[in-house]
Amino acid sequence: MLKKIDGFIVGLIGMILMAWLFPQPGIYKGTGNLEQITDIGISLIFFFYGLKLSPQQMREGLRNYRLHLTIQLATYLLFPALLIAFKPLVPEEQHLLWLAMFFLAVLPSTVSSSVVMVVMAQGNVAGAIFNASISGLIGIVLTPLWMGLFWSVEGATFDFSAIIIDLLIKILLPVVLGLSLHRFLGAFVKRHLKVLARFDKTVILLIVYKSFSKSFTTGLFDSISPLAIVLLSVSTLALFAAVYGLISGICSLLNFNRADRIAALFCGSKKSLVHGTVFSKVLFENVAGQGLFLVPVMLYHAYQLIIVSFIARRKGREQAV
């Protein structure tokens, strides 16, 4: 597991390095540019995502409302509340860094890794599938809505209605189309999950390369010190620890059984790199600092996978004894 995780993380680092050394392909505006390619890739990712969703599993998942509320409130209320609480302590000149962290905080939960970890730890798999799936759909509205409340980057505008329409076309429409074709193509997709996972990662890597190419050519990172990057790294790790601990306490207060507790912890503490890269492309398309918004997302992605992989394996071994 860790070998695979490390490989993708190395790929992310490689794309940043490529963007620094050879940014021109990432900012090329002619026919067949990365903008057009990644737009198509995004729609295909969510079309295949819709094909993988089972309407029957979605219906079955609706019943456990306490678990659903815990996960979704953690994802879209607990995370942003923690960032807002620290906002008064952030100097004005560091507003963009705080905004990048806040973008991470308002993203949906991840899908595939959450479900895989819950399976590994022998938790509530149906609940994990339902919440991880529905989280991305909720995020189409809530993520840009949250960002709009604090958006104040010089030279950039935030058109909420245009962003929602863009997200609906690029994400929700392909998901609905895929869901409608699930009974015809669902089995085929399940047989090729590894191929689709590689496709998802390839699109993510292209978006990362394109975003950082724009940021490097505009000189964004020239004004950000190495200390600031270190602070982002420490902050993302602290955010994960705080949320994981708070969700654990909430599960104890609600007397969740072991299976629901695992689903709540693993789904409620995760953030989606797929949605992060896609949403950043839509929300910050005309922002020179687009690459910066992906830094906390990529750091958090690495932390959550490594830490939760370890926890999931330990819980799985405990249950097997």
Side-chain angles (χ1 to χ4, degrees), residues 63-86:
R63 298 169 187 162
N64 197 344
Y65 70 91
R66 291 201 313 159
L67 175 62
H68 307 332
L69 284 175
T70 299
I71 293 174
Q72 300 308 324
L73 288 175
T75 301
Y76 292 111
L77 187 60
L78 178 59
F79 267 99
L82 289 172
L83 265 295
I84 292 172
F86 279 94

Side-chain angles (χ1 to χ4, degrees), residues 45-220:
I45 283 176
F46 287 95
F47 171 68
F48 293 134
Y49 170 54
L51 284 176
K52 288 184 283 187
L53 291 178
S54 168
Q56 181 180 352
Q57 288 178 325
M58 296 289 283
R59 287 193 296 269
E60 291 175 355
L62 283 170
R63 298 169 187 162
N64 197 344
Y65 70 91
R66 291 201 313 159
L67 175 62
H68 307 332
L69 284 175
T70 299
I71 293 174
Q72 300 308 324
L73 288 175
T75 301
Y76 292 111
L77 187 60
L78 178 59
F79 267 99
L82 289 172
L83 265 295
I84 292 172
F86 279 94
K87 190 176 187 299
L89 303 177
V90 179
E92 184 61 32
E93 60 270 18
Q94 301 297 332
H95 174 73
L96 193 60
L97 295 177
W98 179 87
L99 201 61
M101 281 294 299
F102 188 71
F103 174 61
L104 163 67
V106 298
L107 286 174
S109 175
T110 187
V111 179
S112 57
S113 65
S114 291
V115 176
V116 168
M117 301 303 179
V118 171
V119 170
M120 191 185 303
Q122 300 182 43
N124 185 337
V125 179
I129 292 172
F130 175 82
N131 279 281
S133 301
I134 204 70
S135 179
L137 302 180
I138 295 173
I140 293 174
V141 174
L142 288 190
T143 298
L145 182 61
W146 266 120
M147 291 303 296
L149 294 178
F150 295 95
W151 185 254
S152 59
V153 178
E154 187 176 352
T157 58
F158 196 92
D159 188 342
F160 180 76
S161 60
I163 286 170
I164 290 295
I165 292 171
D166 204 8
L167 290 174
L168 290 175
I169 293 172
K170 291 181 179 177
I171 297 177
L172 185 59
L173 185 60
V175 169
V176 172
L177 180 59
L179 188 60
S180 66
L181 296 174
H182 172 81
R183 63 173 180 166
F184 303 109
L185 298 173
F188 173 81
V189 166
K190 287 182 179 179
R191 290 196 300 269
H192 298 84
L193 289 178
K194 290 185 178 179
V195 175
L196 293 177
R198 285 195 290 269
F199 175 77
D200 291 355
K201 290 176 181 178
T202 300
V203 175
I204 291 171
L205 291 174
L206 289 175
I207 294 174
V208 168
Y209 169 73
K210 176 187 169 297
S211 300
F212 277 86
S213 294
K214 180 185 294 185
S215 295
F216 283 129
T217 53
T218 55
L220 170 74

Side-chain angles (χ1 to χ4, degrees), residues 5-25:
I5 294 170
D6 288 341
F8 184 53
I9 293 171
V10 169
L12 290 171
I13 296 171
M15 288 298 101
I16 297 173
L17 182 61
M18 286 286 290
W20 179 50
L21 295 173
F22 310 105
Q24 291 308 313

Side-chain angles (χ1 to χ4, degrees), residues 291-314:
L292 177 64
F293 287 91
L294 290 177
V295 173
V297 182
M298 291 187 293
L299 289 170
Y300 196 91
H301 173 79
Y303 291 143
Q304 71 184 11
L305 286 182
I306 293 171
I307 296 170
V308 178
S309 292
F310 174 79
I311 295 172
R313 284 198 300 272
R314 180 169 56 81

